[in-house]
Amino acid sequence: MADPEGPAEGGGGAPVRVPGQRPGRRSPAAHLERLMAEAGSTGTAVLRELPFLAQVEIKVDEEDAAAASRMAEEFLGCALPAPGRSSGTGSPYVLHCGPGWYLVVDAEATGPGLAAGLRAALGGEYGGPCAAVADQSAQRAVFELRGPQAAEVIARGCPLDLHPRVFGPGGYAQSLLGKAAVGVHRTGPEGGVPEFRLLVRASFAEYLARFLADALHGAAPPHRVG
């Protein structure tokens, strides 16, 4: 699902600091930072929250799809993706959520700022808007799970086939993980360390963090011979 500090290839590590973050602002899973940090390992997978990402929805009618896609690409630097896919490798990137429905995610903009920019960019061919734009940043939490067993950890509660031949880098789908509705975005590079972003309603952030921490406790590092 772009790293808050940079491109989507980034790994785990220190807590994320976002320039311009309001003093006292807390993300949905901030109180579980230690739980997540202690749950996994580099031999299995490392879990962390990616706080305060700008998340803006775009909804486009079919007759305006071509114009909206062109205008969005000019503004964002990446095209609106095909079903089951994402586009963009850094900040911003775009997820295909359904017919005519996209989610733009950016670490370098605020939600209101990104929404305002998209509204201006998606003006219609003859002056009217060709898409509906809404800031949804406060509605979702985003988690990153990175490591050799990341797919196996997610598979403990998710019915998606996450084999890289089926769900490779850039893949995006909405599903269930445990009892939470999630968006699953594979961000890791082809042939590299598996990396996923998990988007969930903010009200389910604690549930998902604890579910993944429990799954990580049950994961075992791969056995190496020699």
Side-chain angles (χ1 to χ4, degrees), residues 85 99 103 107 121 153 161:
R85 300 294 300 169
L103 183 68
V153 169
D161 184 350

Side-chain angles (χ1 to χ4, degrees), residues 8-30:
E9 296 84 11
V16 177
R17 295 186 180 276
V18 181
Q21 180 178 326
R22 294 198 303 269
R25 187 181 180 191
R26 289 179 62 82
S27 62

Side-chain angles (χ1 to χ4, degrees), residues 222-226:
H223 178 65
R224 295 186 179 182
V225 178

Side-chain angles (χ1 to χ4, degrees), residues 195-214:
E195 180 179 296
F196 294 85
R197 298 226 170 143
L198 303 166
L199 292 80
V200 67
R201 290 283 181 182
S203 57
F204 277 84
E206 178 166 355
Y207 168 84
L208 186 63
R210 292 187 182 279
F211 182 97
L212 290 169
D214 286 345

Side-chain angles (χ1 to χ4, degrees), residues 6 31 42 44 68 76 97 100 128 134 141 177 219:
H31 61 297
T42 55
T44 55
L76 297 169
C97 300
L177 183 47

Side-chain angles (χ1 to χ4, degrees), residues 36 43 45 50 71 95 102 111 119 131 139 143 164 180 190 202 224:
M36 292 186 285
L50 304 180
M71 294 173 182
L95 306 171
Y102 306 90
R119 289 190 189 100
Q139 291 194 13
F143 295 92
E190 191 76 43
R224 295 186 179 182

